Amino acid sequence: MLKISLPLRLQLSLIIVIGSAFLKHYSWSNLLVYGAIALLWVWLLRVPIRKLGGLVGAELIFLSLVALPLGWEKASFLLVRSLICLIVMSSFLLTLPPHSFGIALKGLPIPAPLKENLLLAGQYLEILLSEVGRMQRSAQLRGLNGVGGWLRYASAAMIGSLYLRTLERAERVYGAMVTRGYNGQLPIDSTLNPKERFTLITVGMTATCITLSSYFL
């Protein structure tokens, strides 16, 4: 995987997503440019294609249920644009090392309370996914193999247990963070170096030009 720092990786992902989200409707040529950039992003980060396909596919099924009632022409553009955004952000999340979301988040120019909420949400999501993994292994040990068996196991009795276990563990983790001196500020330095700033400005200007051109061409 290409050496890209976590803060720069997150900021580049957000620039691509925001740029494609503000495209003028039905500007397919500009959307295809963002599609090519998204595929390049997947290649640069060396994203596991199988995991990416499963994650994006599930998200796209949900989005299609929302978009299809808007009409085929509008829904197709929205779905392709959503697909590009999902590929970019899923690529970032799938290549993010465990417990490092805060490092990536530190470099964003957003208010501290919002940054803290995002950080805690990311940590709680990691805890939830960890508990889901434990429950899946527990179900397999009980002979419930396959998606159908796992779903029956989860839907029958374990949803409430999953919520309680996740909540209890999240409280323990937050208590441990406070004990170690956490006060809403991450004790790390994640400022971008001059080369990274140049890369960020270049990509930002490129994305701005692609998006603005969709309104004038």
Side-chain angles (χ1 to χ4, degrees), residues 5 14 68 102 139 145 178 185 189 213:
S5 67
L14 291 177
L68 286 178
N145 296 317
V178 173
Q185 298 293 324
D189 183 15
S213 65

Side-chain angles (χ1 to χ4, degrees), residues 147-199:
V147 176
W150 154 244
L151 286 177
R152 286 195 299 274
Y153 175 73
S155 60
M158 300 306 292
I159 296 297
S161 176
L162 173 64
Y163 172 75
L164 292 176
R165 288 170 56 175
T166 303
L167 183 62
E168 290 174 357
R169 189 175 165 195
E171 288 179 345
R172 290 200 302 270
V173 169
Y174 187 76
M177 291 168 61
V178 173
T179 303
R180 287 170 172 80
Y182 175 72
N183 59 357
Q185 298 293 324
L186 295 176
I188 53 175
D189 183 15
S190 62
T191 55
L192 301 178
N193 59 42
K195 185 178 179 181
E196 291 175 331
R197 288 183 184 277
F198 176 76
T199 302

Side-chain angles (χ1 to χ4, degrees), residues 132-152:
V132 169
R134 289 185 178 186
M135 289 178 64
Q136 284 180 324
R137 286 194 296 275
S138 176
Q140 290 170 353
L141 291 175
R142 289 172 170 79
L144 297 173
N145 296 317
V147 176
W150 154 244
L151 286 177
R152 286 195 299 274

Side-chain angles (χ1 to χ4, degrees), residues 49-61:
I49 300 300
R50 189 172 179 179
K51 286 186 177 180
L52 179 64
L55 183 61
V56 172
E59 294 166 338
L60 206 60
I61 290 174

